[in-house]
Amino acid sequence: MSDATAAQAAPSTIEVTINGIAVDARPGELVIAAADRAGVHIPRFCYHERMSPVGMCRMCLVEIDTGRGPQLQPSCVVSVSPQMVVDTTSERTQRAQEGVLELLLINHPLDCPVCDKGGECPLQDQTMAYGPGESRFVEEKRHFEKPIPISDLVHLDRERCILCDRCTRFADEVAGDPLIDFTERGNETQVLTFPGEPFSSYFSGNTVQICPVGALTAVPYRFKARPWDLVQTESTCTTCAVGCRIAVQSSRNELVRYLGVDIDPVNHGWLCDKGRFGYGSVASPDRVTTPLAARAPSAAGTSELADAEPLRRFQPTDWASALGAVAAAVTAARPGTIAVLGGARGTNEDAYAWSKLARTVLRTDHLDAQLGDGLPAGLVVGLPGATIDDACSADTTLLVCGDLREELPVLHLRLRGAARAGTTRLVEIAPTETGLTRNAARSEECRGGEAASVLRDLLDGDDPLAAELASGSVVVVLGRSSVAESAEATAEAASVISARVPHARFLVAARRGNVRGALDMGLAPGLLPGRTLSTSPSPTLTAAWGELPTERGHDAAGILLAAASGEIDVLFLLGADPLTDFPDSMLARLGVAGAGTVVAVDSFVNQSVAEADIVLPAAVFGEKSGTTTNLEGRVSAVGELVTAPGSARPDWMIAAELAVLCGGDLGFLSTEDVTAEIAALCATHAGAVGAELGTDGVVASGAAFEPEFPAEHAAPPRDAYGLRLVCGRKLYDGGVTVNQTPALTSLQAETVLRVHPVDLERVGVDSGTEVEVHSERGALRLPIVADSGVARGNVALAFPSSDVDVGALIDATAPVTDVRVETRAGGGALR
């Protein structure tokens, strides 16, 4: 019988009986999972639906009859079979469950009143529901030192551990960081990290959430609140563009915890530690809570203010005065000299309101939600799209992007899991080793800016990859592998793939939290809400907005260049910090300094805000409701739980009030008004409103135009003495979230130059030596270390950094950035 005939003959369901009720189970499904779908709860500790079953705790013992009589078997490791009979309420089952709980409680401390898990503890709940009601043991319980800080974020209380193997399985199977494991044997078995090796995983917080007994606790949440004191709402994480579904919890109007919510299309319940613990920045004492206006220069000049603390440069004011000053600056501005940078930090509603304000009131197309570290907006929304699920199930997933473990951590987990399960084959083109290199079936190294050339050679020759991509489904995860190279290099790689693999679909690895939503809402030059070009706006949008600017405006680099030349009279920064985040720091400094009036809509005084003339305090995540759009175009809800401090307001509200003062009217009185207008005017977001969003969200419909690809070009040749600079993002970077969250600040790594050992030998120094690296833009002194994961000819640096101005080396107008690494010999001469 052929495979096709066998597949047709195989039953799609298997009938089993659970507690006397017939249930249609799936072939190969575990008994415990089938019971869950049938609404029958079987108690468990070790079982987790996203990890392999191990049958460690024996709490799920039930009577199973497969035709040879009922036997007690762990339901988490037994698959369903035809005519199987399961009894979860028999006397034998109840006695077995009572025995298991009694054994688990022999040494487990009864410290529920001081345990963070108290009130939401599966062991506590199941002891009440399935336990014997009393214990026969009166002996002294086992004691350990408590707690042990196994990392900066997680503490371990070994007395509470019941050896369920959840944390160790997650670390090994899901995260790929097997840094926690069982030690000792028999009665002395315990969970520990390896000597001298902390639990330094980007995903350690997940082990705290899935621990069923409070043996692992999160340092930022310890002793903060009790479950019955918490107020909760579901929301969507906007730390990066993956859009993980989370439960946001608060106590006394303060965010105290985020928990991952399991939705199948996106995060499977997992969160990265930055997303999980980043709520600390929301309650930071450094928040801007009232409008600020720059003080007039003193008689001694401006140097006195420049050298002072950033906040001393400002004086508090009221909203009427601040907005009045902004309106006066807008009114006095020359036509076409107003620009808006940023907008990816907020909600779709925020982005839409500022897009409408810019086009209909400020009369400008100079706006860009990206800060020179993304891809052309038309490419992001114009390429044939794929979902995260598509990338995890395609025959081949081609990675032409940065290190997803650092930039989009949960997407990294999803792709790693798919590769391990064999549901997709990963092929990687990268200038440095990434977190997925060891899981990739094939990894091709390239120098910075040369990914398109490598792809062209592979797909135009007789390489087996060409035939592989031509014959099966292909998803391309496309993103910038380095901010030290032009976006056109990545765009050209997309062009090469599209021409040679026309059936390929793309998942654009945008990094910023709501950059996809901001672009969908028109915060990009030449792009209007609903993914329509400004040269051909939809009749519906024209009827609602009126006449719109048709001349294409500047992107982020163009805005800063124009500002540096004195051509920008008013520069709005919407949660944007170009002095930190724009790759070319020299251009950023000249642009911010050259703008006439700088208006910052932000929540912290960062480097760029410190140079602003007017600061308007903005509400942040958790303080406002609305929607957000992840990298696959999935629109989901963002929940409001706490009140913004002081007089901080949502960005859309600031735009609406400013419009009135400038002689316009956006027509918004509430967040719901903005959401409704988006749904009415943007065909791509027609179903993304209200209850229709649901828990999983709604994937917005496809693009309305073909993407424009750049002309083919070769990266400039690298000279024999230089190295090509590769600047990739790190999870714990120098951004506001990390710097303003006490639990994350200490996790930032030292900035070092990483080069291949062969290139280090050419430099002629030992690993760890401080060297000078310089480009045509500037120079830095940094330690240099050998790293075989960096392709020969490249030098890798993390961007941005809290301690080093990496952007001082980068020229945003150049296709690539080449550097030279030199040492200083005696007398200070370079050699």
Side-chain angles (χ1 to χ4, degrees):
M1 186 169 57
S2 66
D3 292 342
T5 306
Q8 292 177 355
S12 58
T13 60
I14 296 175
E15 184 177 296
V16 298
T17 302
I18 301 179
N19 294 346
I21 300 174
V23 174
D24 288 332
R26 300 162 183 162
E29 188 173 24
L30 297 174
V31 171
I32 194 170
D36 283 344
R37 287 196 306 105
V40 177
H41 177 72
I42 298 176
R44 79 291 302 264
F45 293 116
C46 68
Y47 172 74
H48 192 284
E49 58 274 15
R50 296 297 183 185
M51 295 185 289
S52 62
V54 289
M56 292 280 288
C57 70
R58 289 306 201 249
M59 189 63 212
C60 67
L61 285 171
V62 295
E63 281 197 311
I64 300 177
D65 186 355
T66 58
R68 294 180 294 178
Q71 297 178 350
L72 283 174
Q73 299 184 58
S75 57
C76 72
V77 295
V78 177
S79 299
V80 295
S81 60
Q83 309 306 314
M84 175 183 283
V85 178
V86 180
D87 191 345
T88 71
T89 60
S90 69
E91 182 180 352
R92 289 180 66 196
T93 298
Q94 292 177 8
R95 288 182 59 192
Q97 292 169 350
E98 289 177 358
V100 169
L101 284 166
E102 189 174 15
L103 287 172
L104 291 177
L105 292 173
I106 289 175
N107 279 304
H108 187 86
L110 301 180
D111 62 348
C112 302
V114 297
C115 178
D116 271 333
K117 202 74 172 181
E120 56 182 8
C121 174
L123 178 60
Q124 196 177 52
D125 295 340
Q126 292 181 57
T127 298
M128 295 295 295
Y130 303 98
E134 60 183 3
S135 176
R136 291 172 288 177
F137 289 87
V138 295
E139 289 79 10
E140 180 74 11
K141 292 179 182 289
R142 182 171 49 205
H143 297 288
F144 290 109
E145 175 189 353
K146 56 186 296 184
I148 297 176
I150 59 175
S151 77
D152 290 343
L153 297 172
V154 178
H155 283 183
L156 169 64
D157 190 325
R158 290 170 291 170
E159 294 178 354
R160 298 174 184 162
C161 181
I162 61 171
L163 306 180
C164 70
D165 198 29
R166 277 192 174 193
C167 59
T168 55
R169 269 181 296 151
F170 172 83
D172 183 24
E173 297 178 6
V174 181
D177 299 322
L179 302 172
I180 186 170
D181 208 342
F182 290 121
T183 65
E184 308 297 340
R185 291 185 178 185
N187 190 50
E188 298 300 321
T189 303
Q190 54 188 287
V191 166
L192 273 177
T193 56
F194 296 98
E197 296 288 337
F199 190 27
S200 54
S201 170
Y202 284 172
F203 309 98
S204 63
N206 293 289
T207 63
V208 174
Q209 181 172 337
I210 64 177
C211 177
V213 293
L216 295 170
T217 53
V219 174
Y221 180 70
R222 279 175 63 85
F223 310 129
K224 281 292 183 70
R226 284 300 190 184
W228 50 85
D229 295 327
L230 298 177
V231 180
Q232 174 175 305
T233 187
E234 274 203 26
S235 189
T236 306
C237 180
T238 57
T239 302
C240 74
V242 175
C244 299
R245 196 68 180 161
I246 62 174
V248 181
Q249 297 178 336
S250 70
S251 177
R252 298 180 297 278
N253 198 44
E254 179 183 344
L255 298 182
V256 296
R257 187 167 63 170
Y258 293 167
L259 296 175
V261 174
D262 192 337
I263 65 169
D264 195 68
V266 184
N267 61 311
H268 288 184
W270 312 129
L271 299 177
C272 71
D273 285 351
K274 183 178 179 180
R276 182 181 295 275
F277 299 114
Y279 61 83
S281 63
V282 177
S284 169
D286 295 333
R287 283 284 300 274
V288 178
T289 60
T290 188
L292 303 173
R295 299 178 187 272
S298 64
T302 59
S303 61
E304 175 185 334
L305 294 177
D307 294 337
E309 291 293 326
L311 281 175
R312 289 185 57 192
R313 184 177 174 272
F314 298 100
Q315 60 184 356
T317 185
D318 56 79
W319 273 100
S321 300
L323 288 175
V326 176
V330 168
T331 303
R334 296 165 293 170
T337 61
I338 300 176
V340 180
L341 268 180
R345 174 210 61 194
T347 62
N348 288 335
E349 288 72 15
D350 294 333
Y352 180 85
W354 275 93
S355 178
K356 186 175 183 179
L357 172 71
R359 266 40 180 268
T360 64
V361 179
L362 306 181
R363 308 301 299 171
T364 182
D365 195 58
H366 303 319
L367 61 171
D368 194 352
Q370 303 183 92
L371 289 184
D373 60 352
L375 297 175
L379 203 65
V380 175
V381 301
L383 287 169
T387 65
I388 295 174
D389 277 345
D390 292 337
C392 294
S393 59
D395 292 328
T396 303
T397 297
L398 184 59
L399 305 177
V400 186
C401 55
D403 190 346
L404 296 180
R405 186 173 183 270
E406 302 286 350
E407 299 187 9
L408 301 167
V410 174
L411 177 59
H412 160 87
L413 290 187
R414 290 291 311 274
L415 290 173
R416 180 182 183 275
R420 281 170 53 89
T423 56
T424 190
R425 183 174 184 268
L426 299 183
V427 177
E428 179 182 63
I429 312 292
T432 63
E433 184 178 284
T434 73
L436 288 172
T437 299
R438 68 183 63 182
N439 302 109
R442 181 172 178 180
S443 183
E444 293 288 336
E445 292 183 340
C446 67
R447 284 198 291 265
E450 298 182 6
S453 300
V454 172
L455 282 166
R456 199 176 291 116
D457 292 341
L458 290 174
L459 299 181
D460 288 345
D462 57 358
D463 193 281
L465 179 63
E468 178 186 334
L469 298 183
S471 61
S473 58
V474 179
V475 170
V476 182
V477 181
L478 182 74
R480 293 274 288 277
S481 60
S482 170
V483 296
E485 66 185 40
S486 167
E488 288 191 355
T490 307
E492 185 185 358
S495 175
V496 171
I497 297 169
S498 294
R500 293 156 177 81
V501 192
H503 60 279
R505 291 186 294 163
F506 292 80
L507 182 64
V508 178
R511 186 188 65 86
R512 299 178 186 278
N514 192 32
V515 66
R516 182 66 179 266
L519 298 181
D520 282 351
M521 296 301 101
L523 279 183
L527 196 63
L528 295 174
R531 307 179 193 170
T532 57
L533 297 173
S534 57
T535 53
S536 55
S538 67
T540 306
L541 188 66
T542 303
W545 280 22
E547 184 181 353
L548 299 170
T550 56
E551 185 176 351
R552 187 183 180 92
H554 297 311
D555 61 5
I559 289 171
L560 292 172
L561 281 169
S565 302
E567 299 172 11
I568 298 297
D569 289 344
V570 181
L571 175 62
F572 287 94
L573 301 177
L574 302 184
D577 181 12
L579 293 183
T580 298
D581 244 3
F582 188 75
D584 186 340
S585 59
M586 177 184 290
L587 178 56
R589 283 194 300 271
L590 293 174
V592 172
T597 300
V598 179
V599 181
V601 181
D602 216 315
S603 50
F604 293 95
V605 179
N606 52 46
Q607 288 192 52
S608 301
V609 173
E611 302 299 322
D613 299 289
I614 302 167
V615 182
L616 305 177
V620 298
F621 182 84
E623 299 171 351
K624 56 187 176 183
S625 59
T627 59
T628 186
T629 306
N630 77 346
L631 76 171
E632 61 183 349
R634 185 177 302 276
V635 184
S636 54
V638 173
E640 177 183 354
L641 191 61
V642 296
T643 304
S647 59
R649 302 177 181 179
D651 296 53
W652 72 263
M653 188 180 295
I654 297 172
E657 294 188 16
L658 182 58
V660 173
L661 292 177
C662 292
D665 186 1
L666 301 186
F668 305 141
L669 297 176
S670 66
T671 305
E672 291 72 22
D673 291 342
V674 192
T675 307
E677 184 166 315
I678 294 172
L681 299 184
C682 304
T684 54
H685 285 63
V689 59
E692 296 179 21
L693 287 175
T695 300
D696 290 355
V698 174
V699 178
S701 55
F705 58 91
E706 292 294 324
E708 296 181 1
F709 294 112
E712 288 190 3
H713 70 282
R718 179 178 59 85
D719 67 70
Y721 299 98
L723 295 170
R724 184 133 306 159
L725 182 62
V726 175
C727 286
R729 297 280 184 172
K730 298 289 286 184
L731 184 66
Y732 302 126
D733 55 14
V736 164
T737 299
V738 174
N739 287 333
Q740 295 294 336
T741 301
L744 302 180
T745 303
S746 62
L747 301 179
Q748 299 179 71
E750 178 189 11
T751 303
V752 296
L753 287 169
R754 296 184 295 119
V755 298
H756 192 276
V758 172
D759 289 325
L760 181 64
E761 186 177 350
R762 288 177 53 210
V763 176
V765 298
D766 294 330
S767 185
T769 304
E770 190 174 79
V771 297
E772 182 172 280
V773 54
H774 62 90
S775 69
E776 293 184 358
R777 278 287 198 199
L780 298 172
R781 289 197 65 82
L782 290 167
I784 188 170
V785 297
D787 186 346
S788 58
V790 178
R792 291 184 59 179
N794 290 334
V795 56
L797 265 176
F799 176 89
S801 169
S802 293
D803 55 342
V804 178
D805 182 13
V806 176
L809 299 172
I810 302 173
D811 182 359
T813 63
V816 294
T817 300
D818 286 332
V819 299
R820 292 196 178 189
V821 179
E822 298 173 327
T823 61
R824 287 192 178 274
L830 290 173
R831 66 178 179 90

